[in-house]
Amino acid sequence: MDIARIGVVGAGQMGGGIAHVCALAGYEVLLTDVSRDALAAAPGAIGRDIGRQVAKGAVTEARKAEALARVTTTPELRDLGACDLVIEAATEREDVKAAIFEGLVPHLAPGAILASNTSSISITRLASRTDRPGRFMGFHFMNPVPVMQLVELIRGIATTQETFDACAGVVERLGKTHSAAEDFPGFIVNRVLVPMINEAAYVLHEGVGTVRSIDASMKLGANHPMGPLELADLIGLDTCLAIMEVLHEGLGDTKYRPCPLLRKYVEAGWLGRKAGRGFYDHRGEGGPVPTR
């Protein structure tokens, strides 16, 4: 399969990051979002992020300009019908993703590949909602996309070898490494990572440690580059909760029960960095301050 144009659904942190790395790798990118404000802001955000790479000497100004010229935005989902590969990077809700695929499928060429950046939802089930389960993949980037080197590739039960090979070729062209994961809740990374974050929330909930002591303990005691609560704020507490709910429901084990404190933060709208507050308050100029 010859992939030259990639569509990205969702212009938020993940979708913008995917568009960023695809454009730098030489792909023509068509980016869409239901929010016109998010769509309008995306090219500027991508430009600033590539600018950081320029400042570090990793990318030239000429390459930055070429990459930005390859990114086109559109408010119309049907415009992505001209793409060879479409990667959905919308919110981690199955009904939202299914609606996107339903609206997109009638406009796709027969050979186009559909992919989802879902971090935990069944690829087989998502694929079954389309007309091309054989050409459907889980294409899970890590956050932040331009920095993290791993991409999980998850086959649904019907995904063909040709589809997998084509997606693996895209990952290689992006300069990243893929890991093949089976289609079970959470796949590999989030099956291990998010329960650790959830357990850190329980440790906080039970008063065993404070936000700072929990994060410091894991950074200094386990050599983690970022504490679990700090990482949760980066990922988004709503995303962490959604993944835990998928694990709890899909695997039926009480060890995956979402922490009540994590749920309380989400109900309050304290979703982490993107909301200004989570386990830390990010709104001040002096740096993040623990909220507990």
Side-chain angles (χ1 to χ4, degrees):
M1 296 180 181
D2 184 22
I3 295 174
R5 175 177 283 192
I6 295 177
V8 180
V9 182
Q13 186 176 33
M14 292 302 295
I18 294 168
H20 169 157
V21 297
C22 289
L24 271 180
Y27 291 105
E28 295 295 323
V29 178
L30 193 54
L31 180 64
T32 189
D33 197 291
V34 292
S35 167
R36 290 181 181 267
D37 289 342
L39 199 57
I46 293 169
R48 287 191 296 274
D49 287 343
I50 299 178
R52 293 188 185 96
Q53 293 174 289
V54 172
K56 295 177 181 177
V59 175
T60 64
E61 283 286 358
R63 190 172 167 212
K64 172 186 173 182
E66 291 167 358
L68 290 176
R70 294 188 191 103
V71 179
T72 304
T73 62
T74 176
E76 301 295 336
L77 189 63
R78 62 173 177 265
D79 291 344
L80 273 63
C83 296
D84 308 303
L85 166 66
V86 177
I87 303 172
E88 169 273 315
T91 187
E92 191 69 355
R93 283 178 47 194
E94 188 167 347
D95 58 335
V96 172
K97 295 178 185 297
I100 288 169
F101 296 135
E102 183 179 348
L104 184 59
V105 159
H107 307 288
L108 292 174
I113 297 173
L114 264 178
S116 177
N117 185 56
T118 178
S119 51
S120 59
I121 298 170
S122 167
I123 298 303
T124 297
R125 196 164 63 240
L126 289 174
S128 71
R129 306 289 291 271
T130 76
D131 67 341
R132 60 195 66 217
R135 293 187 298 280
F136 194 102
M137 279 287 301
F139 211 118
H140 182 212
F141 288 85
M142 305 297 117
N143 185 27
V145 178
V147 176
M148 303 299 282
Q149 291 301 302
L150 182 72
V151 178
E152 282 184 309
L153 292 182
I154 307 101
R155 308 171 194 251
I157 195 170
T159 304
T160 67
Q161 186 63 43
E162 184 182 22
T163 298
F164 182 91
D165 291 343
C167 291
V170 171
V171 175
E172 182 177 0
R173 183 166 162 182
L174 297 180
K176 298 186 182 295
T177 300
H178 79 266
S179 65
E182 293 300 316
D183 187 21
F184 286 91
F187 317 131
I188 296 172
V189 172
N190 284 324
R191 174 76 175 268
V192 176
L193 176 65
V194 180
M196 182 193 72
I197 291 172
N198 191 58
E199 193 63 26
Y202 268 115
V203 170
L204 179 64
H205 179 56
E206 294 167 7
V208 178
T210 65
V211 169
R212 284 206 190 280
S213 66
I214 292 165
D215 279 349
S217 294
M218 294 307 294
K219 286 190 283 188
L220 301 178
N223 204 29
H224 289 192
M226 185 179 291
L229 301 177
E230 183 183 4
L231 180 58
D233 273 8
L234 175 63
I235 294 170
L237 304 195
D238 52 338
T239 299
C240 293
L241 177 60
I243 294 169
M244 285 308 301
E245 287 174 334
V246 168
L247 290 172
H248 192 216
E249 180 181 349
L251 298 171
D253 194 317
T254 55
K255 72 180 181 180
Y256 297 114
R257 184 172 68 93
C259 177
L261 181 60
L262 175 62
R263 192 179 298 279
K264 183 178 291 187
Y265 269 78
V266 173
E267 289 171 348
W270 292 18
L271 308 181
R273 289 190 189 183
K274 61 186 176 184
R277 281 186 293 187
F279 290 115
Y280 292 86
D281 190 327
H282 302 270
R283 297 172 299 172
E285 296 182 1
V289 177
T291 54
R292 287 180 79 88

